[in-house]
Amino acid sequence: MSPKPARGGRRRSVIVVAGEGDYDRKVLQHLVPALHPGKCPEVVTIRRPIRLARAQSKLSPRLQEIRRFAVAQADTATLAGVVIHVDLDGVADDAYDKLRKRITEEMRATFKDCPSALALAAYEIEAWLMLFPDAFPKVRPGWRLREADCRRDLAKLEKAKEHLVKYLGKPPYRESDAPAIMRAAVTGGHVNARPAGNNRSYRDFADEIASWEKTA
């Protein structure tokens, strides 16, 4: 069913999120509106997982595939932006910089008609969640991040998901908890481009979203 036009005859606009995992995409559904300058369009997701980190020569075809899915997902709406999630599965180092540069350049060439942003999470998106320690007990009262984890460079934390399982508390953290944690961070007013903690991969993404022109 095609979406109804907005009141006054204006077409609705959407930002499309693509990436590897459903929970990661849902995290970004909560995060993108909190970082978007001005009024954020509706954020929708492409459910089919698409992996880019190790695409190499197949990177351009996969981005073209995302473009086709994004246009189809927008349907009769205006495509106002594309966000692609990739878990780095490594820490932020020279390899991170090279991969981010390569994918970002290809994204800009592919999505010429709308802004795009790369959520390249080092080590994985759980390390982004850890930037917002106050959100965790709002999801599970028994959860607390250790003070040492709040002070560390989270872009250098290996296997952040396993780290949360080991140290967060009971019940054990599960990947399916990630969207609720980000939702709690957003509704609690904790999300901004420069959180108290440190994770360069998050900051790169937040800066990219903040650079988008305001969309009514």
Side-chain angles (χ1 to χ4, degrees), residues 158-205:
E158 296 186 358
K159 300 183 179 179
K161 190 184 290 100
E162 295 177 14
H163 187 88
L164 285 180
V165 172
K166 183 175 182 179
Y167 293 112
L168 186 58
K170 301 295 183 181
Y173 171 81
R174 300 172 300 176
E175 289 183 65
S176 58
D177 295 312
I181 295 168
M182 183 55 74
R183 182 174 63 243
V186 170
T187 57
H190 307 301
V191 173
N192 56 66
R194 293 287 187 274
N198 182 28
N199 187 320
R200 180 159 61 96
S201 68
Y202 171 85
R203 188 171 65 248
D204 288 343
F205 173 70

mmCIF file of all heavy atoms in Angstrom, residues 158-205:
data_model
loop_
_atom_site.group_PDB
_atom_site.id
_atom_site.type_symbol
_atom_site.label_atom_id
_atom_site.label_comp_id
_atom_site.label_asym_id
_atom_site.label_seq_id
_atom_site.Cartn_x
_atom_site.Cartn_y
_atom_site.Cartn_z
ATOM 1 N N GLU A 158 37.916 -4.198 22.633
ATOM 2 C CA GLU A 158 37.659 -5.366 21.802
ATOM 3 C C GLU A 158 36.477 -6.165 22.347
ATOM 4 O O GLU A 158 36.278 -6.262 23.548
ATOM 5 C CB GLU A 158 38.898 -6.258 21.735
ATOM 6 C CG GLU A 158 40.092 -5.590 21.054
ATOM 7 C CD GLU A 158 41.257 -6.551 20.880
ATOM 8 O OE1 GLU A 158 41.136 -7.707 21.316
ATOM 9 O OE2 GLU A 158 42.277 -6.134 20.293
ATOM 10 N N LYS A 159 35.684 -6.701 21.417
ATOM 11 C CA LYS A 159 34.563 -7.587 21.765
ATOM 12 C C LYS A 159 33.681 -6.956 22.836
ATOM 13 O O LYS A 159 33.461 -7.517 23.909
ATOM 14 C CB LYS A 159 35.085 -8.950 22.199
ATOM 15 C CG LYS A 159 35.885 -9.650 21.107
ATOM 16 C CD LYS A 159 36.338 -11.035 21.524
ATOM 17 C CE LYS A 159 37.116 -11.708 20.380
ATOM 18 N NZ LYS A 159 37.589 -13.053 20.760
ATOM 19 N N ALA A 160 33.130 -5.787 22.510
ATOM 20 C CA ALA A 160 32.318 -5.039 23.470
ATOM 21 C C ALA A 160 31.093 -5.831 23.916
ATOM 22 O O ALA A 160 30.682 -5.740 25.077
ATOM 23 C CB ALA A 160 31.892 -3.711 22.842
ATOM 24 N N LYS A 161 30.518 -6.609 23.013
ATOM 25 C CA LYS A 161 29.339 -7.400 23.364
ATOM 26 C C LYS A 161 29.662 -8.398 24.470
ATOM 27 O O LYS A 161 28.936 -8.502 25.468
ATOM 28 C CB LYS A 161 28.836 -8.121 22.112
ATOM 29 C CG LYS A 161 27.483 -8.774 22.277
ATOM 30 C CD LYS A 161 27.106 -9.545 21.022
ATOM 31 C CE LYS A 161 26.786 -8.621 19.858
ATOM 32 N NZ LYS A 161 27.842 -8.450 18.885
ATOM 33 N N GLU A 162 30.762 -9.120 24.305
ATOM 34 C CA GLU A 162 31.170 -10.088 25.326
ATOM 35 C C GLU A 162 31.533 -9.379 26.628
ATOM 36 O O GLU A 162 31.313 -9.920 27.721
ATOM 37 C CB GLU A 162 32.339 -10.916 24.815
ATOM 38 C CG GLU A 162 31.983 -11.791 23.615
ATOM 39 C CD GLU A 162 33.193 -12.560 23.086
ATOM 40 O OE1 GLU A 162 34.218 -12.628 23.797
ATOM 41 O OE2 GLU A 162 33.104 -13.068 21.946
ATOM 42 N N HIS A 163 32.095 -8.192 26.522
ATOM 43 C CA HIS A 163 32.450 -7.408 27.706
ATOM 44 C C HIS A 163 31.208 -7.068 28.515
ATOM 45 O O HIS A 163 31.211 -7.192 29.748
ATOM 46 C CB HIS A 163 33.172 -6.131 27.265
ATOM 47 C CG HIS A 163 33.728 -5.330 28.395
ATOM 48 N ND1 HIS A 163 34.989 -5.542 28.912
ATOM 49 C CD2 HIS A 163 33.189 -4.310 29.119
ATOM 50 C CE1 HIS A 163 35.203 -4.698 29.910
ATOM 51 N NE2 HIS A 163 34.131 -3.932 30.036
ATOM 52 N N LEU A 164 30.139 -6.666 27.847
ATOM 53 C CA LEU A 164 28.896 -6.354 28.559
ATOM 54 C C LEU A 164 28.314 -7.600 29.217
ATOM 55 O O LEU A 164 27.829 -7.541 30.353
ATOM 56 C CB LEU A 164 27.877 -5.746 27.597
ATOM 57 C CG LEU A 164 28.116 -4.300 27.171
ATOM 58 C CD1 LEU A 164 27.021 -3.852 26.205
ATOM 59 C CD2 LEU A 164 28.175 -3.368 28.377
ATOM 60 N N VAL A 165 28.342 -8.715 28.514
ATOM 61 C CA VAL A 165 27.830 -9.966 29.091
ATOM 62 C C VAL A 165 28.571 -10.290 30.380
ATOM 63 O O VAL A 165 27.975 -10.718 31.381
ATOM 64 C CB VAL A 165 27.957 -11.123 28.078
ATOM 65 C CG1 VAL A 165 27.624 -12.456 28.742
ATOM 66 C CG2 VAL A 165 27.054 -10.887 26.874
ATOM 67 N N LYS A 166 29.880 -10.045 30.399
ATOM 68 C CA LYS A 166 30.707 -10.411 31.546
ATOM 69 C C LYS A 166 30.564 -9.440 32.712
ATOM 70 O O LYS A 166 30.518 -9.869 33.881
ATOM 71 C CB LYS A 166 32.170 -10.476 31.113
ATOM 72 C CG LYS A 166 33.123 -10.930 32.205
ATOM 73 C CD LYS A 166 34.539 -11.080 31.663
ATOM 74 C CE LYS A 166 35.501 -11.569 32.730
ATOM 75 N NZ LYS A 166 36.885 -11.737 32.199
ATOM 76 N N TYR A 167 30.452 -8.144 32.433
ATOM 77 C CA TYR A 167 30.582 -7.157 33.507
ATOM 78 C C TYR A 167 29.326 -6.337 33.809
ATOM 79 O O TYR A 167 29.279 -5.659 34.845
ATOM 80 C CB TYR A 167 31.710 -6.173 33.170
ATOM 81 C CG TYR A 167 33.079 -6.783 33.170
ATOM 82 C CD1 TYR A 167 33.794 -6.929 31.982
ATOM 83 C CD2 TYR A 167 33.671 -7.220 34.355
ATOM 84 C CE1 TYR A 167 35.063 -7.492 31.976
ATOM 85 C CE2 TYR A 167 34.927 -7.788 34.363
ATOM 86 C CZ TYR A 167 35.622 -7.920 33.167
ATOM 87 O OH TYR A 167 36.880 -8.479 33.163
ATOM 88 N N LEU A 168 28.302 -6.373 32.966
ATOM 89 C CA LEU A 168 27.188 -5.452 33.155
ATOM 90 C C LEU A 168 26.328 -5.789 34.355
ATOM 91 O O LEU A 168 25.874 -4.902 35.077
ATOM 92 C CB LEU A 168 26.320 -5.415 31.882
ATOM 93 C CG LEU A 168 25.185 -4.403 31.857
ATOM 94 C CD1 LEU A 168 25.708 -2.990 32.050
ATOM 95 C CD2 LEU A 168 24.417 -4.501 30.535
ATOM 96 N N GLY A 169 26.091 -7.065 34.602
ATOM 97 C CA GLY A 169 25.220 -7.476 35.712
ATOM 98 C C GLY A 169 24.171 -8.449 35.233
ATOM 99 O O GLY A 169 24.220 -8.962 34.116
ATOM 100 N N LYS A 170 23.196 -8.706 36.096
ATOM 101 C CA LYS A 170 22.152 -9.688 35.802
ATOM 102 C C LYS A 170 20.836 -8.971 35.502
ATOM 103 O O LYS A 170 20.533 -7.945 36.106
ATOM 104 C CB LYS A 170 21.978 -10.631 36.994
ATOM 105 C CG LYS A 170 23.238 -11.397 37.354
ATOM 106 C CD LYS A 170 23.659 -12.355 36.249
ATOM 107 C CE LYS A 170 24.881 -13.169 36.657
ATOM 108 N NZ LYS A 170 25.321 -14.091 35.593
ATOM 109 N N PRO A 171 20.043 -9.536 34.581
ATOM 110 C CA PRO A 171 20.321 -10.706 33.736
ATOM 111 C C PRO A 171 21.388 -10.387 32.703
ATOM 112 O O PRO A 171 21.644 -9.207 32.419
ATOM 113 C CB PRO A 171 18.965 -10.969 33.065
ATOM 114 C CG PRO A 171 18.314 -9.630 33.015
ATOM 115 C CD PRO A 171 18.739 -8.927 34.270
ATOM 116 N N PRO A 172 22.033 -11.381 32.120
ATOM 117 C CA PRO A 172 23.100 -11.124 31.157
ATOM 118 C C PRO A 172 22.596 -10.330 29.951
ATOM 119 O O PRO A 172 21.463 -10.514 29.500
ATOM 120 C CB PRO A 172 23.556 -12.532 30.741
ATOM 121 C CG PRO A 172 23.109 -13.423 31.849
ATOM 122 C CD PRO A 172 21.844 -12.823 32.369
ATOM 123 N N TYR A 173 23.465 -9.473 29.465
ATOM 124 C CA TYR A 173 23.141 -8.689 28.268
ATOM 125 C C TYR A 173 22.940 -9.598 27.068
ATOM 126 O O TYR A 173 23.644 -10.585 26.887
ATOM 127 C CB TYR A 173 24.277 -7.700 27.974
ATOM 128 C CG TYR A 173 24.141 -7.006 26.639
ATOM 129 C CD1 TYR A 173 23.299 -5.909 26.485
ATOM 130 C CD2 TYR A 173 24.830 -7.489 25.521
ATOM 131 C CE1 TYR A 173 23.152 -5.299 25.251
ATOM 132 C CE2 TYR A 173 24.687 -6.875 24.279
ATOM 133 C CZ TYR A 173 23.845 -5.781 24.152
ATOM 134 O OH TYR A 173 23.709 -5.180 22.931
ATOM 135 N N ARG A 174 21.946 -9.255 26.219
ATOM 136 C CA ARG A 174 21.710 -9.941 24.957
ATOM 137 C C ARG A 174 21.649 -8.895 23.841
ATOM 138 O O ARG A 174 21.295 -7.733 24.093
ATOM 139 C CB ARG A 174 20.391 -10.716 24.991
ATOM 140 C CG ARG A 174 20.319 -11.798 26.068
ATOM 141 C CD ARG A 174 18.919 -12.369 26.134
ATOM 142 N NE ARG A 174 17.939 -11.313 26.452
ATOM 143 C CZ ARG A 174 16.626 -11.514 26.498
ATOM 144 N NH1 ARG A 174 16.136 -12.716 26.242
ATOM 145 N NH2 ARG A 174 15.819 -10.524 26.798
ATOM 146 N N GLU A 175 21.975 -9.309 22.630
ATOM 147 C CA GLU A 175 21.928 -8.380 21.498
ATOM 148 C C GLU A 175 20.558 -7.744 21.352
ATOM 149 O O GLU A 175 20.437 -6.575 20.958
ATOM 150 C CB GLU A 175 22.288 -9.111 20.201
ATOM 151 C CG GLU A 175 23.742 -9.499 20.068
ATOM 152 C CD GLU A 175 24.008 -10.158 18.724
ATOM 153 O OE1 GLU A 175 23.865 -9.478 17.697
ATOM 154 O OE2 GLU A 175 24.354 -11.355 18.721
ATOM 155 N N SER A 176 19.523 -8.485 21.679
ATOM 156 C CA SER A 176 18.164 -7.965 21.531
ATOM 157 C C SER A 176 17.865 -6.813 22.496
ATOM 158 O O SER A 176 16.862 -6.112 22.328
ATOM 159 C CB SER A 176 17.143 -9.088 21.735
ATOM 160 O OG SER A 176 17.306 -9.689 23.019
ATOM 161 N N ASP A 177 18.734 -6.608 23.512
ATOM 162 C CA ASP A 177 18.544 -5.499 24.447
ATOM 163 C C ASP A 177 19.010 -4.163 23.867
ATOM 164 O O ASP A 177 18.653 -3.100 24.386
ATOM 165 C CB ASP A 177 19.324 -5.755 25.748
ATOM 166 C CG ASP A 177 18.811 -6.949 26.522
ATOM 167 O OD1 ASP A 177 17.582 -7.049 26.709
ATOM 168 O OD2 ASP A 177 19.631 -7.786 26.946
ATOM 169 N N ALA A 178 19.808 -4.205 22.819
ATOM 170 C CA ALA A 178 20.452 -2.993 22.311
ATOM 171 C C ALA A 178 19.467 -1.887 21.931
ATOM 172 O O ALA A 178 19.659 -0.722 22.326
ATOM 173 C CB ALA A 178 21.363 -3.334 21.137
ATOM 174 N N PRO A 179 18.391 -2.163 21.180
ATOM 175 C CA PRO A 179 17.475 -1.075 20.835
ATOM 176 C C PRO A 179 16.837 -0.413 22.051
ATOM 177 O O PRO A 179 16.670 0.819 22.073
ATOM 178 C CB PRO A 179 16.421 -1.769 19.968
ATOM 179 C CG PRO A 179 17.126 -2.953 19.387
ATOM 180 C CD PRO A 179 18.047 -3.415 20.483
ATOM 181 N N ALA A 180 16.494 -1.199 23.062
ATOM 182 C CA ALA A 180 15.878 -0.620 24.259
ATOM 183 C C ALA A 180 16.854 0.290 24.996
ATOM 184 O O ALA A 180 16.461 1.320 25.561
ATOM 185 C CB ALA A 180 15.386 -1.731 25.186
ATOM 186 N N ILE A 181 18.128 -0.069 25.004
ATOM 187 C CA ILE A 181 19.135 0.769 25.662
ATOM 188 C C ILE A 181 19.271 2.108 24.937
ATOM 189 O O ILE A 181 19.302 3.169 25.556
ATOM 190 C CB ILE A 181 20.484 0.029 25.729
ATOM 191 C CG1 ILE A 181 20.368 -1.201 26.628
ATOM 192 C CG2 ILE A 181 21.585 0.955 26.253
ATOM 193 C CD1 ILE A 181 21.545 -2.156 26.526
ATOM 194 N N MET A 182 19.338 2.058 23.605
ATOM 195 C CA MET A 182 19.450 3.322 22.862
ATOM 196 C C MET A 182 18.180 4.144 23.008
ATOM 197 O O MET A 182 18.240 5.374 23.123
ATOM 198 C CB MET A 182 19.766 3.047 21.398
ATOM 199 C CG MET A 182 19.972 4.317 20.573
ATOM 200 S SD MET A 182 21.242 5.431 21.266
ATOM 201 C CE MET A 182 22.735 4.529 20.826
ATOM 202 N N ARG A 183 17.039 3.496 23.010
ATOM 203 C CA ARG A 183 15.784 4.234 23.210
ATOM 204 C C ARG A 183 15.792 4.937 24.564
ATOM 205 O O ARG A 183 15.393 6.112 24.677
ATOM 206 C CB ARG A 183 14.583 3.296 23.106
ATOM 207 C CG ARG A 183 13.241 4.027 23.264
ATOM 208 C CD ARG A 183 12.055 3.111 23.014
ATOM 209 N NE ARG A 183 11.988 2.029 23.984
ATOM 210 C CZ ARG A 183 12.105 0.742 23.671
ATOM 211 N NH1 ARG A 183 12.312 0.385 22.420
ATOM 212 N NH2 ARG A 183 12.031 -0.183 24.605
ATOM 213 N N ALA A 184 16.278 4.247 25.601
ATOM 214 C CA ALA A 184 16.351 4.858 26.930
ATOM 215 C C ALA A 184 17.331 6.025 26.948
ATOM 216 O O ALA A 184 17.104 7.038 27.616
ATOM 217 C CB ALA A 184 16.757 3.807 27.966
ATOM 218 N N ALA A 185 18.428 5.897 26.212
ATOM 219 C CA ALA A 185 19.405 6.983 26.136
ATOM 220 C C ALA A 185 18.803 8.206 25.468
ATOM 221 O O ALA A 185 19.015 9.345 25.902
ATOM 222 C CB ALA A 185 20.645 6.520 25.382
ATOM 223 N N VAL A 186 18.034 7.976 24.425
ATOM 224 C CA VAL A 186 17.424 9.090 23.692
ATOM 225 C C VAL A 186 16.326 9.753 24.518
ATOM 226 O O VAL A 186 16.298 10.982 24.669
ATOM 227 C CB VAL A 186 16.868 8.599 22.339
ATOM 228 C CG1 VAL A 186 16.021 9.688 21.683
ATOM 229 C CG2 VAL A 186 18.007 8.192 21.415
ATOM 230 N N THR A 187 15.409 8.952 25.063
ATOM 231 C CA THR A 187 14.303 9.532 25.824
ATOM 232 C C THR A 187 14.783 10.187 27.112
ATOM 233 O O THR A 187 14.150 11.117 27.615
ATOM 234 C CB THR A 187 13.248 8.459 26.165
ATOM 235 O OG1 THR A 187 13.872 7.383 26.893
ATOM 236 C CG2 THR A 187 12.618 7.897 24.902
ATOM 237 N N GLY A 188 15.921 9.729 27.635
ATOM 238 C CA GLY A 188 16.497 10.341 28.829
ATOM 239 C C GLY A 188 17.291 11.598 28.549
ATOM 240 O O GLY A 188 17.814 12.229 29.482
ATOM 241 N N GLY A 189 17.422 11.947 27.268
ATOM 242 C CA GLY A 189 18.141 13.165 26.904
ATOM 243 C C GLY A 189 19.646 13.046 26.996
ATOM 244 O O GLY A 189 20.349 14.056 27.097
ATOM 245 N N HIS A 190 20.164 11.824 26.913
ATOM 246 C CA HIS A 190 21.614 11.625 27.071
ATOM 247 C C HIS A 190 22.377 11.676 25.754
ATOM 248 O O HIS A 190 23.611 11.784 25.766
ATOM 249 C CB HIS A 190 21.874 10.269 27.736
ATOM 250 C CG HIS A 190 21.136 10.075 29.014
ATOM 251 N ND1 HIS A 190 21.278 10.914 30.099
ATOM 252 C CD2 HIS A 190 20.219 9.135 29.383
ATOM 253 C CE1 HIS A 190 20.489 10.504 31.084
ATOM 254 N NE2 HIS A 190 19.844 9.421 30.672
ATOM 255 N N VAL A 191 21.671 11.569 24.636
ATOM 256 C CA VAL A 191 22.351 11.445 23.352
ATOM 257 C C VAL A 191 22.708 12.810 22.780
ATOM 258 O O VAL A 191 21.873 13.692 22.680
ATOM 259 C CB VAL A 191 21.473 10.675 22.345
ATOM 260 C CG1 VAL A 191 22.097 10.695 20.956
ATOM 261 C CG2 VAL A 191 21.297 9.239 22.816
ATOM 262 N N ASN A 192 23.957 12.966 22.408
ATOM 263 C CA ASN A 192 24.411 14.133 21.673
ATOM 264 C C ASN A 192 25.671 13.752 20.907
ATOM 265 O O ASN A 192 26.189 12.646 21.038
ATOM 266 C CB ASN A 192 24.680 15.323 22.604
ATOM 267 C CG ASN A 192 25.666 14.993 23.700
ATOM 268 O OD1 ASN A 192 26.840 14.744 23.436
ATOM 269 N ND2 ASN A 192 25.206 14.976 24.943
ATOM 270 N N ALA A 193 26.167 14.667 20.096
ATOM 271 C CA ALA A 193 27.328 14.366 19.267
ATOM 272 C C ALA A 193 28.608 14.228 20.077
ATOM 273 O O ALA A 193 29.575 13.632 19.617
ATOM 274 C CB ALA A 193 27.504 15.450 18.198
ATOM 275 N N ARG A 194 28.639 14.799 21.280
ATOM 276 C CA ARG A 194 29.839 14.771 22.115
ATOM 277 C C ARG A 194 29.493 14.256 23.516
ATOM 278 O O ARG A 194 29.435 15.019 24.482
ATOM 279 C CB ARG A 194 30.448 16.177 22.230
ATOM 280 C CG ARG A 194 31.025 16.719 20.921
ATOM 281 C CD ARG A 194 32.316 16.004 20.579
ATOM 282 N NE ARG A 194 32.988 16.606 19.430
ATOM 283 C CZ ARG A 194 32.730 16.313 18.173
ATOM 284 N NH1 ARG A 194 31.760 15.441 17.894
ATOM 285 N NH2 ARG A 194 33.387 16.883 17.190
ATOM 286 N N PRO A 195 29.211 12.946 23.658
ATOM 287 C CA PRO A 195 28.913 12.408 24.988
ATOM 288 C C PRO A 195 30.136 12.467 25.893
ATOM 289 O O PRO A 195 31.264 12.706 25.434
ATOM 290 C CB PRO A 195 28.507 10.959 24.696
ATOM 291 C CG PRO A 195 29.182 10.636 23.411
ATOM 292 C CD PRO A 195 29.220 11.915 22.624
ATOM 293 N N ALA A 196 29.912 12.238 27.177
ATOM 294 C CA ALA A 196 31.006 12.331 28.150
ATOM 295 C C ALA A 196 32.099 11.302 27.879
ATOM 296 O O ALA A 196 33.282 11.569 28.074
ATOM 297 C CB ALA A 196 30.462 12.157 29.564
ATOM 298 N N GLY A 197 31.715 10.119 27.423
ATOM 299 C CA GLY A 197 32.688 9.084 27.116
ATOM 300 C C GLY A 197 33.380 9.330 25.791
ATOM 301 O O GLY A 197 33.105 10.315 25.091
ATOM 302 N N ASN A 198 34.254 8.421 25.421
ATOM 303 C CA ASN A 198 35.059 8.614 24.221
ATOM 304 C C ASN A 198 34.945 7.405 23.299
ATOM 305 O O ASN A 198 35.235 6.280 23.704
ATOM 306 C CB ASN A 198 36.527 8.840 24.606
ATOM 307 C CG ASN A 198 37.405 9.090 23.395
ATOM 308 O OD1 ASN A 198 36.949 9.596 22.384
ATOM 309 N ND2 ASN A 198 38.670 8.721 23.494
ATOM 310 N N ASN A 199 34.493 7.650 22.067
ATOM 311 C CA ASN A 199 34.516 6.633 21.029
ATOM 312 C C ASN A 199 34.561 7.369 19.690
ATOM 313 O O ASN A 199 33.557 7.931 19.249
ATOM 314 C CB ASN A 199 33.296 5.711 21.099
ATOM 315 C CG ASN A 199 33.407 4.538 20.131
ATOM 316 O OD1 ASN A 199 33.854 4.681 19.007
ATOM 317 N ND2 ASN A 199 32.986 3.359 20.593
ATOM 318 N N ARG A 200 35.702 7.351 19.068
ATOM 319 C CA ARG A 200 35.895 8.124 17.843
ATOM 320 C C ARG A 200 34.951 7.678 16.733
ATOM 321 O O ARG A 200 34.499 8.497 15.928
ATOM 322 C CB ARG A 200 37.350 7.999 17.373
ATOM 323 C CG ARG A 200 37.660 8.760 16.094
ATOM 324 C CD ARG A 200 39.145 9.025 15.985
ATOM 325 N NE ARG A 200 39.933 7.812 15.944
ATOM 326 C CZ ARG A 200 40.356 7.243 14.802
ATOM 327 N NH1 ARG A 200 40.044 7.792 13.645
ATOM 328 N NH2 ARG A 200 41.088 6.153 14.829
ATOM 329 N N SER A 201 34.652 6.383 16.670
ATOM 330 C CA SER A 201 33.784 5.907 15.594
ATOM 331 C C SER A 201 32.368 6.455 15.745
ATOM 332 O O SER A 201 31.699 6.760 14.748
ATOM 333 C CB SER A 201 33.779 4.377 15.537
ATOM 334 O OG SER A 201 33.148 3.800 16.657
ATOM 335 N N TYR A 202 31.892 6.600 16.985
ATOM 336 C CA TYR A 202 30.593 7.233 17.221
ATOM 337 C C TYR A 202 30.647 8.710 16.840
ATOM 338 O O TYR A 202 29.740 9.233 16.196
ATOM 339 C CB TYR A 202 30.185 7.087 18.686
ATOM 340 C CG TYR A 202 28.964 7.909 19.050
ATOM 341 C CD1 TYR A 202 27.687 7.405 18.841
ATOM 342 C CD2 TYR A 202 29.087 9.196 19.579
ATOM 343 C CE1 TYR A 202 26.566 8.163 19.152
ATOM 344 C CE2 TYR A 202 27.973 9.953 19.896
ATOM 345 C CZ TYR A 202 26.715 9.426 19.676
ATOM 346 O OH TYR A 202 25.600 10.186 19.981
ATOM 347 N N ARG A 203 31.707 9.378 17.240
ATOM 348 C CA ARG A 203 31.832 10.816 16.970
ATOM 349 C C ARG A 203 31.871 11.089 15.463
ATOM 350 O O ARG A 203 31.259 12.046 14.981
ATOM 351 C CB ARG A 203 33.078 11.369 17.644
ATOM 352 C CG ARG A 203 33.203 12.898 17.588
ATOM 353 C CD ARG A 203 34.340 13.379 18.456
ATOM 354 N NE ARG A 203 35.643 12.927 17.992
ATOM 355 C CZ ARG A 203 36.413 12.055 18.632
ATOM 356 N NH1 ARG A 203 36.004 11.520 19.767
ATOM 357 N NH2 ARG A 203 37.595 11.723 18.149
ATOM 358 N N ASP A 204 32.563 10.244 14.705
ATOM 359 C CA ASP A 204 32.611 10.405 13.256
ATOM 360 C C ASP A 204 31.210 10.316 12.660
ATOM 361 O O ASP A 204 30.840 11.094 11.773
ATOM 362 C CB ASP A 204 33.510 9.347 12.622
ATOM 363 C CG ASP A 204 34.991 9.587 12.893
ATOM 364 O OD1 ASP A 204 35.354 10.721 13.279
ATOM 365 O OD2 ASP A 204 35.785 8.636 12.725
ATOM 366 N N PHE A 205 30.438 9.349 13.136
ATOM 367 C CA PHE A 205 29.074 9.186 12.628
ATOM 368 C C PHE A 205 28.202 10.367 13.037
ATOM 369 O O PHE A 205 27.457 10.918 12.209
ATOM 370 C CB PHE A 205 28.473 7.880 13.153
ATOM 371 C CG PHE A 205 27.019 7.704 12.820
ATOM 372 C CD1 PHE A 205 26.622 7.466 11.511
ATOM 373 C CD2 PHE A 205 26.052 7.778 13.809
ATOM 374 C CE1 PHE A 205 25.272 7.314 11.191
ATOM 375 C CE2 PHE A 205 24.707 7.621 13.501
ATOM 376 C CZ PHE A 205 24.316 7.383 12.194
#
